[in-house]
Amino acid sequence: MPSDAPDDLEPEFFAKMVESVGVGVGIYGEDGRYTYVNQSYADLFDVTPQALIGQPLWEIVPAIEASAFEQYWDSFADGGTREAETTHTYNGRTVPVATVTTQRSINGTSYHFGTIKDISVRKAREEEIERQNERLENFASIVSHDLRNPLNVAQGYIEMLQEDISRDELRLVDNALERMGVLISELLELARSDREIGDVTPVSVTTVAEEAWRTVSTPNATLDTPDATHRILADESRLQQLFENLFRNAIEHAGSDVHLTVDTTTDGFYVADNGPGIPQEKRDRVFEAGYTTEGDGTGFGLNIVQQIVAGHDWEIQITDNSGNGARFEITGVEFDD
């Protein structure tokens, strides 16, 4: 359909439309030099659009070399679109950007039309997260080696002394060292719990739960697991860590003779106990780091559980276990059955 606008107004009209996009726009031809840029793109470098007109792409985009531009140009099919994250540099400024470039032919002449979005804020956030993860890894290394090693030495000496001396003081020291070991283990878990979930594979809920139980069970505690071998998509190591922390939490709050049940639901699984349960008014707080209702609790276990759940894009909630005990329900789980 022909345009109602006079021919001499169309360039101005389309220029205003491009400006309204809200991101940078650049157009260049087969010679690799900009024939049009909008103000949003020029603003990235604090220059006018005219300053960029005629500039070769390889002078602004370090990832594209002048000698390789022809090959880059020929790699596009007409109508082809390519997305990339790179940096653009001009006027002493380097800006990380996300680009979408499309090749179009107008009246037999090919052009590349590109949108250029400033992603400086996102990149800065990603870099900060990476620095935080590095600090956490350093902390975990210190906890794992520099603290645990002398603790093991101290516990070894206490065991030697207890063979020859029967004193309540030695028992109290041994209890304190054991408590320190628990704190170190949970702090180490907490420091590493923010790391990304690894490869998810089909894993048996029953098998992983029983493996976790072997690491935390007490002689008087019991566990029921599903008869059927239901398989879910999960990071097996992190799933075992989730079960271990839920089991420890139940033993800590419900006693060493607690009875635990693990079973699947239509969209997930649950861990339930026959203990005193968790009051409604406290259920929103139990996942907070450091929150505990027990004098010897660390308050980290359920926070780690929540992070593992979130890492899998699952959800967790606390309900009553048929009026007797607590039930942790994990939903949004994908089954492989």
Side-chain angles (χ1 to χ4, degrees):
M1 178 181 293
S3 171
D4 292 333
D7 290 343
D8 60 343
L9 291 182
E10 287 186 354
E12 180 182 350
F13 171 75
F14 286 118
K16 289 182 178 180
M17 289 294 292
V18 169
E19 288 298 338
S20 69
V21 172
V23 297
V25 173
I27 301 173
Y28 56 89
E30 193 171 358
D31 64 354
R33 296 180 181 274
Y34 282 113
T35 59
Y36 173 83
V37 300
N38 69 348
Q39 186 63 53
S40 294
Y41 183 46
D43 285 342
L44 297 181
F45 311 111
D46 195 25
V47 297
T48 63
Q50 289 72 23
L52 292 168
I53 301 298
Q55 291 291 333
L57 186 68
W58 51 86
E59 292 291 338
I60 297 175
V61 186
I64 298 177
E65 298 180 1
S67 60
F69 176 77
E70 184 176 350
Q71 180 181 359
Y72 170 74
W73 178 272
D74 292 340
S75 69
F76 278 80
D78 191 51
T81 296
R82 192 170 301 171
E83 298 182 13
E85 289 189 3
T86 184
T87 58
H88 283 198
T89 301
Y90 188 73
N91 195 33
R93 296 189 175 190
T94 298
V95 182
V97 294
T99 63
V100 180
T101 304
T102 302
Q103 180 167 296
R104 295 288 187 202
S105 293
I106 300 177
N107 297 327
T109 302
S110 294
Y111 296 92
H112 279 189
F113 296 78
T115 59
I116 307 100
K117 182 179 180 181
D118 184 354
I119 56 173
S120 300
V121 174
R122 175 165 67 82
K123 284 296 184 181
R125 183 168 63 248
E126 290 174 354
E127 290 173 0
E128 177 58 26
I129 291 174
E130 186 175 351
R131 287 192 293 269
Q132 289 177 355
N133 288 339
E134 288 178 357
R135 289 195 292 268
L136 284 173
E137 284 298 321
N138 290 335
F139 169 73
S141 178
I142 292 172
V143 169
S144 180
H145 298 95
D146 297 355
L147 292 182
R148 196 184 296 279
N149 287 344
L151 177 64
N152 291 338
V153 171
Q155 288 177 317
Y157 279 122
I158 287 295
E159 291 177 4
M160 291 172 60
L161 288 171
Q162 286 178 324
E163 293 178 359
D164 300 322
I165 304 172
S166 179
R167 294 284 300 269
D168 288 341
E169 289 83 357
L170 289 179
R171 181 179 55 81
L172 293 173
V173 171
D174 190 37
N175 291 343
L177 292 175
E178 183 177 350
R179 173 65 177 159
M180 289 172 63
V182 172
L183 282 169
I184 287 173
S185 296
E186 294 204 357
L187 282 170
L188 183 59
E189 281 189 51
L190 189 64
R192 290 176 171 168
S193 61
D194 276 336
R195 70 181 187 272
E196 292 183 357
I197 296 299
D199 293 335
V200 295
T201 58
V203 296
S204 164
V205 173
T206 299
T207 300
V208 177
E210 291 177 349
E211 184 63 31
W213 184 247
R214 281 190 280 271
T215 70
V216 300
S217 63
T218 61
N220 298 321
T222 55
L223 173 70
D224 286 338
T225 55
D227 292 332
T229 307
H230 297 284
R231 296 168 70 84
I232 64 174
L233 296 180
D235 178 334
E236 183 173 0
S237 175
R238 305 304 298 283
L239 179 62
Q240 180 173 330
Q241 186 182 14
L242 178 148
F243 279 128
E244 289 171 353
N245 284 341
L246 287 178
F247 295 161
R248 290 193 188 105
N249 180 75
I251 293 169
E252 183 178 283
H253 291 84
S256 59
D257 60 348
V258 64
H259 178 77
L260 282 150
T261 302
V262 172
D263 207 345
T264 56
T265 61
T266 56
D267 63 346
F269 59 93
Y270 68 84
V271 176
D273 64 60
N274 65 343
I278 301 175
Q280 183 72 41
E281 65 274 12
K282 294 183 178 179
R283 292 176 184 176
D284 290 336
R285 296 202 59 197
V286 296
F287 293 110
E288 297 176 7
Y291 179 79
T292 181
T293 59
E294 298 294 322
D296 58 352
T298 64
F300 297 137
L302 292 183
N303 180 257
I304 293 170
V305 167
Q306 186 182 52
Q307 292 184 26
I308 296 171
V309 167
H312 282 87
D313 291 327
W314 300 337
E315 294 183 0
I316 186 170
Q317 64 175 341
I318 303 171
T319 62
D320 293 324
N321 182 27
S322 301
N324 183 24
R327 172 168 161 150
F328 290 82
E329 293 187 0
I330 293 88
T331 57
V333 178
E334 184 176 353
F335 284 81
D336 188 59
D337 295 338

